[in-house]
Amino acid sequence: MLGVVFFHGGGATPDSDREVAYTTFKDYVAKGYTEKIIVNKGEGTARLTVRPEHIRDVFKRGADQVGKQPTVTARIPSADKLDDYLSASGYRGSVSYEESSGTLRMIITSLLPMALLIGFWFYIFRGMRGGGGSGVFSVGKSKARVIEKGEGTNVTFKDVAGQEGAKQEVQEIVDFLKNPSKYTELGGKIPKGALLVGPPGTGKTLLAKAVAGEADVPFFSMSGSDFVEMFVGVGASRVRDLFTKAKEKAPCIIFIDEIDAVGRARGKNPAMGGNDERENTLNQLLTEMDGFGTNSGVIILAATNRVDILDKALLRAGRFDRQIHVDLPDLPERVAIFGVHLRPLKLAPGLDVELLARQTPGFSGADIANVCNEAALIAARHNRKEVGRQDFLDAVDRIIGGLEKKTKVMTAGEKRVIALHEAGHATVSWLLEHANPLVKVTIVPRGQALGAAWYLPEERSITTREQMLDEICATLGGRAAEELFTGHISSGALNDLETVTKRAYGMVAYLGMSAELPNLCFYNNQEYNFTKPYSEHTAERIDKAVAELVAEQYERAKRILSENAGKHARLAETLIEHEVIFTADVEQIFGPRPWKSRADELLESAASTPSAATGEDEPGSGEKTEPEADTTAIEIANAAPAGPETALADDKSATTEAPSAATDKENETEA
Ligand code: NHX
Ligand code: ZN
């Protein structure tokens, strides 16, 4: 019942199993003598089954003497090396994995935990009886949620906003499911699996469902983490069960969310000596994928946000051999996504959807859904009958920064430090050519932060050293201002310093941007990198270069601030007075920034090539849509004077609610 099974060598008799050198083994693979390989990682061996028509080539005897399925075994350097060889050689047969043959020690060591488990099992069983429902006997069954064909929940491509590129690629899979013969008649093999790769919240599940909906086939969905249970063997048996069920319903889609939970590279965790249970599950998955025929009508879609940590065996030909990238939406796609999520809301007339999309660079579809819902809640809290522009802008701020804590009481002294710190960021970033454009500065506490300078992150494709240095300098502007103008430094710079240190380390150790270690990249994408890919000596040089880089930028920030101390002070005062200030306020004090932002430049080139600015919804036309994305930057950076986004023009801009308690308290203290 507990799926602990030790496979043994398959009952091969000496006559029908021959040991050969690894080179010979590879030679047999290359000559196409086999379509089945079984790897035993514990023993470090691999066994191939010789095809009947090649038995004489290998054994010099006929099947009557060595059996119908004789095998050849070789000691392999490593499973990874073999995998690499198999991929390189274009081998398309099956590869499965088996456990080491059970030595006495292994059986004894596995019996003890088993006895414990059985005890635990009954304990849970007793606890679950009252709960009705599935009970403990379903542990080994797949927990797959099944959406049957034509079951009403049908999602189609219409429900997937944006993602034109991914939709097009996935359309092919729909076609495989609908008209398999179109492909098989020409001798083509229908792919078994595809990976949907992209950050969380980008709608990978929705896309997979839409494939099932469009093809009108059942949809089996399960999360990788469902496979990873504490019970030994449960994961593997769930995989088996899932595939058995799916094969009965073919044609169908199996969707495995978070496949990285099972699919992480095997045996790369030196601390654990590998996670055997997870590896068993993964091996079972690989075996199942190889086990069903190429044109069986079952297509497996799996979602992940990290392909680089997946076991390479998963990506081999005949498994998840195609990748469909699902990216964060760009501006026009965000407009479309807002369109979907605004549908159920009661909106104030004339709401500018594009403005909302502009305010949400880097947001995923799920984030946008969240914004829309949050905006509705905010509007309801104010007893409004419709959801308006300001509700959405407040919702965006809240999702980025957390809840405003207007009741947090601050002394005049604390408030001054916070204002000086934030004004420091604003001043330095305003005066640096490559720093991100400032949107607003606030000293209203929100979430973990007591104050914040908000920027519009430029959706850059590449970042230069100068841009990174300017960002670091602006981030150090807060602490630099504290030191210069209060004479003390505070714990408030924690997050700033964290960001700065990470970035500086990245510049030195990954991007080869220091004079100390130029053009060297020590990036290590392995999940468990307990050993750094460099010597102690290099480690010291990295530390030194990082510290120097940060020190240099800190001095630079202090220089900028002391050269502009008067303006900085005025900015801090405005901030204390209004609590929130916008780009236009900063501009009144410092004058306009003399540099063209990337936004400006894109806008100009868009103006000279009108076609580029229309941003037609062409799939995968990232560049084309960007000029539009950046008109935004400008409008926000220049904070449209007509709008309410100027503290000097209109106090209540961002805070439409009644004056905050903090403000009142503060006024009292000052009075
Ligand atoms: C705190 N947070 O947790 C307060 C609430 C400089 C005006 N003590 O850089 O908010 O001070 O530009 C333990 C110890 C966070 C936990 C110290 C968690 C410090 C944000 C930093 C504004 N804006 N910093 C900023 C800020 C803070 C922090 C901590 C902690 C501040 C600064 C946090
Ligand atoms: Zn700061």
Side-chain angles (χ1 to χ4, degrees):
M1 64 170 214
L2 285 169
V4 192
V5 179
F6 293 105
F7 295 97
H8 196 66
T13 61
D15 238 16
S16 61
D17 185 44
R18 167 171 300 187
E19 277 205 27
V20 297
Y22 184 49
T23 42
T24 316
F25 184 92
K26 288 195 288 188
D27 186 45
Y28 290 167
V29 173
K31 285 180 175 155
Y33 287 2
T34 186
E35 50 189 346
K36 187 177 164 200
I37 295 175
I38 297 170
V39 181
N40 189 321
K41 262 183 63 175
E43 289 178 351
T45 59
R47 195 168 72 242
L48 61 77
T49 306
V50 181
R51 289 182 170 200
E53 63 266 35
H54 292 294
I55 288 175
R56 272 206 180 272
D57 299 325
V58 175
F59 293 89
K60 311 281 176 262
R61 283 180 287 173
D64 46 326
Q65 279 171 290
V66 293
K68 283 212 167 64
Q69 294 201 309
T71 54
V72 168
T73 305
R75 191 144 283 286
I76 56 172
S78 76
D80 278 351
K81 284 257 163 56
L82 176 63
D83 259 344
D84 288 343
Y85 173 73
L86 294 178
S87 322
S89 71
Y91 171 74
R92 287 194 68 102
S94 85
V95 179
S96 50
Y97 300 82
E98 68 176 15
E99 293 303 314
S100 290
S101 44
T103 64
L104 197 62
R105 192 175 51 82
M106 273 184 77
I107 289 172
I108 290 169
T109 49
S110 60
L111 274 183
L112 182 65
M114 208 152 122
L116 287 173
L117 271 175
I118 291 169
F120 189 43
W121 188 284
F122 277 104
Y123 173 70
I124 289 194
F125 180 52
R126 280 204 352 240
M128 276 177 109
R129 275 245 289 259
S134 50
V136 78
F137 287 124
S138 64
V139 163
K141 294 270 187 282
S142 86
K143 286 209 238 168
R145 289 165 292 278
V146 187
I147 299 174
E148 294 284 347
K149 173 172 172 164
E151 221 183 49
T153 38
N154 256 357
V155 178
T156 63
F157 285 157
K158 274 199 231 75
D159 304 296
V160 185
Q163 299 297 359
E164 293 305 325
K167 268 196 248 177
Q168 217 173 43
E169 290 195 45
V170 125
Q171 177 65 51
E172 206 180 357
I173 294 176
V174 174
D175 210 37
F176 291 148
L177 287 164
K178 272 182 156 168
N179 317 305
S181 54
K182 180 168 133 194
Y183 298 88
T184 51
E185 271 165 18
L186 292 175
K189 283 184 189 158
I190 289 176
K192 289 180 184 173
L195 273 184
L196 300 171
V197 184
T202 41
K204 298 185 286 290
T205 309
L206 193 67
L207 199 61
K209 269 190 196 156
V211 173
E214 290 281 333
D216 197 23
V217 297
F219 177 77
F220 291 78
S221 122
M222 205 155 156
S223 168
S225 53
D226 294 342
F227 292 124
V228 184
E229 290 273 340
M230 60 182 139
F231 296 114
V232 181
V234 167
S237 94
R238 282 195 177 149
V239 171
R240 220 173 298 130
D241 192 55
L242 174 65
F243 277 78
T244 312
K245 282 186 185 157
K247 274 185 264 184
E248 284 165 10
K249 296 264 165 137
C252 68
I253 294 271
I254 296 180
F255 177 64
I256 304 174
D257 204 357
E258 299 175 53
I259 192 161
D260 24 331
V262 270
R264 260 172 287 148
R266 279 165 293 181
K268 295 269 171 66
N269 184 349
M272 303 280 298
N275 179 344
D276 285 339
E277 169 55 4
R278 192 178 56 72
E279 289 187 13
N280 289 347
T281 309
L282 173 58
N283 291 342
Q284 187 64 41
L285 181 64
L286 295 174
T287 310
E288 290 290 345
M289 281 193 84
D290 294 332
F292 67 83
T294 321
N295 300 323
S296 67
V298 180
I299 292 187
I300 308 155
L301 296 176
T304 178
N305 52 354
R306 306 249 348 236
V307 211
D308 53 332
I309 64 164
L310 288 185
D311 201 296
K312 270 187 284 165
L314 269 174
L315 308 178
R316 274 237 324 277
R319 295 173 185 160
F320 295 104
D321 51 6
R322 31 180 74 205
Q323 292 177 17
I324 296 166
H325 287 266
V326 187
D327 294 320
L328 287 172
D330 60 13
L331 181 87
E333 285 173 334
R334 289 198 298 275
V335 171
I337 294 170
F338 264 109
V340 171
H341 295 295
L342 289 177
R343 247 180 256 152
L345 303 186
K346 257 185 122 173
L347 298 178
L351 180 79
D352 184 356
V353 181
E354 220 176 280
L355 173 101
L356 302 180
R358 283 169 184 168
Q359 297 282 4
T360 47
F363 277 46
S364 69
D367 294 334
I368 290 175
N370 201 1
V371 167
C372 292
N373 190 53
E374 199 63 48
L377 298 184
I378 291 172
R381 196 171 310 127
H382 294 284
N383 298 317
R384 284 195 262 278
K385 294 280 162 272
E386 289 156 334
V387 193
R389 177 189 129 108
Q390 194 59 50
D391 301 321
F392 283 100
L393 297 182
D394 288 351
V396 171
D397 287 1
R398 182 166 167 182
I399 280 159
I400 300 176
L403 263 183
E404 272 195 354
K405 293 180 183 153
K406 296 190 168 180
T407 48
K408 190 154 186 157
V409 185
M410 224 73 72
T411 68
E414 285 167 343
K415 208 172 167 182
R416 178 168 170 267
V417 174
I418 300 171
L420 289 171
H421 177 109
E422 301 311 336
H425 289 305
T427 304
V428 176
S429 68
W430 192 264
L431 297 170
L432 287 177
E433 177 171 359
H434 305 293
N436 280 336
L438 194 71
V439 178
K440 69 173 182 182
V441 188
T442 144
I443 57 167
V444 181
R446 191 186 268 285
Q448 269 283 314
L450 300 169
W454 297 66
Y455 305 92
L456 191 72
E458 301 220 47
E459 290 172 81
R460 289 194 195 109
S461 19
I462 49 170
T463 313
T464 64
R465 185 165 166 273
E466 285 65 38
Q467 287 164 340
M468 293 180 198
L469 291 178
D470 283 5
E471 285 303 325
I472 290 177
C473 187
T475 312
L476 289 166
R479 161 152 294 189
E482 288 180 46
E483 192 198 324
L484 272 180
F485 304 123
T486 72
H488 304 284
I489 54 175
S490 78
S491 64
L494 176 80
N495 310 98
D496 291 343
L497 298 186
E498 197 184 348
T499 335
V500 162
T501 310
K502 271 203 194 111
R503 288 199 183 178
Y505 183 86
M507 288 179 69
V508 172
Y510 299 158
L511 300 173
M513 286 181 174
S514 68
E516 176 82 26
L517 297 149
N519 306 329
L520 291 171
C521 172
F522 302 108
Y523 182 67
N524 184 348
N525 71 1
Q526 299 289 298
E527 201 186 359
Y528 300 101
N529 47 355
F530 293 124
T531 49
K532 298 232 182 288
Y534 40 76
S535 69
E536 274 311 308
H537 175 61
T538 305
E540 277 171 28
R541 289 167 69 202
I542 290 175
D543 294 344
K544 185 163 155 272
V546 171
E548 274 172 11
L549 191 157
V550 174
E552 225 168 81
Q553 292 309 314
Y554 188 67
E555 288 310 312
R556 188 169 167 226
K558 282 208 291 191
R559 199 172 58 241
I560 294 170
L561 284 167
S562 49
E563 281 167 5
N564 296 275
K567 290 173 180 168
H568 171 271
R570 271 167 62 202
L571 196 61
E573 267 161 43
T574 318
L575 200 48
I576 291 174
E577 193 183 335
H578 296 280
E579 299 206 314
V580 185
I581 60 174
F582 296 90
T583 320
D585 305 312
V586 186
E587 193 164 292
Q588 277 191 10
I589 293 169
F590 284 93
R593 284 178 96 197
W595 307 284
K596 255 190 257 176
S597 70
R598 178 173 182 272
D600 293 318
E601 280 183 38
L602 278 171
L603 203 66
E604 275 175 20
S605 64
S608 57
T609 49
S611 62
T614 57
E616 284 298 327
D617 231 4
E618 271 180 55
S621 63
E623 304 82 16
K624 282 198 178 177
T625 53
E626 273 188 18
E628 277 205 351
D630 285 290
T631 43
T632 31
I634 302 245
E635 281 175 29
I636 293 162
N638 296 335
E645 291 195 325
T646 314
L648 299 178
D650 176 358
D651 262 14
K652 305 247 164 66
S653 48
T655 50
T656 39
E657 294 100 314
S660 70
T663 322
D664 294 342
K665 281 260 165 45
E666 203 52 60
N667 290 344
E668 275 168 35
T669 341
E670 276 171 12

